[in-house]
């Protein structure tokens, strides 16, 4: 019985997430575009990977879900001390998904 309760308790958040719908459904795309320009994300990516910076969007096997993409944007915000709020992180990730990854459009 304890095992069943533990399994249900651990599985409930996953079930809720699955029912919540696409991660970027209510994201503010205009805000994401503004934040990308304001924080000069492309210039940083060019410094990191060269060329036009777009190679950063397809690291081999690292970013393979919408959640991983959002996590990477959150990581950049933390590492660069940008102080983005959660809804801003989601907005930036939604723009990157639209322009480079298309996770939310493969359903």
């Amino acid at each position: 019985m304890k095992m069943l309760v533990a399994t249900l308790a651990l599985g409930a958040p996953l079930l809720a997430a699955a029912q919540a719908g696409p991660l970027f459904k209510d994201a503010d795309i205009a805000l994401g575009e503004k934040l990308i320009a304001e924080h000069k994300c492309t210039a940083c990516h060019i410094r990191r990977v060269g060329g036009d910076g777009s190679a950063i969007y397809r690291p081999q096997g690292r970013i393979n879900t919408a959640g991983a993409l959002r996590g990477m944007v959150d990581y950049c915000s933390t590492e660069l001390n940008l102080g983005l709020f959660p809804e801003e992180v989601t907005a930036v990730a939604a723009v990157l998904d639209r322009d480079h990854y298309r996770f939310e459009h493969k359903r």
Side-chain angles (χ1 to χ4, degrees):
M1 183 61 149
K2 286 183 183 180
M3 183 65 148
L4 176 61
V5 171
T7 301
L8 290 174
L10 292 173
L14 296 175
L15 181 59
Q19 292 173 343
L23 182 60
F24 307 132
K25 180 179 148 215
D26 296 321
D28 185 340
I29 297 293
L31 174 62
E33 291 169 337
K34 176 182 169 261
L35 291 167
I36 289 169
E38 183 180 300
H39 292 292
K40 299 178 174 78
C41 297
T42 302
C44 181
H45 295 169
I46 289 169
R47 285 192 305 275
R48 291 182 62 91
V49 299
D52 65 359
S54 65
I56 205 163
Y57 299 117
R58 286 291 176 192
Q60 194 66 15
R62 282 184 58 196
I63 309 298
N64 53 16
T65 66
L69 174 57
R70 191 192 177 287
M72 184 54 71
V73 173
D74 194 38
Y75 171 80
C76 286
S77 174
T78 301
E79 285 297 303
L80 299 172
N81 218 12
L82 301 179
L84 297 179
F85 290 106
E87 62 274 9
E88 293 174 323
V89 170
T90 299
V92 169
V95 171
L96 296 178
D97 180 56
R98 179 196 70 192
D99 295 349
H100 301 284
Y101 294 93
R102 309 208 38 89
F103 295 123
E104 295 288 309
H105 308 281
K106 293 178 183 174
R107 295 177 173 266

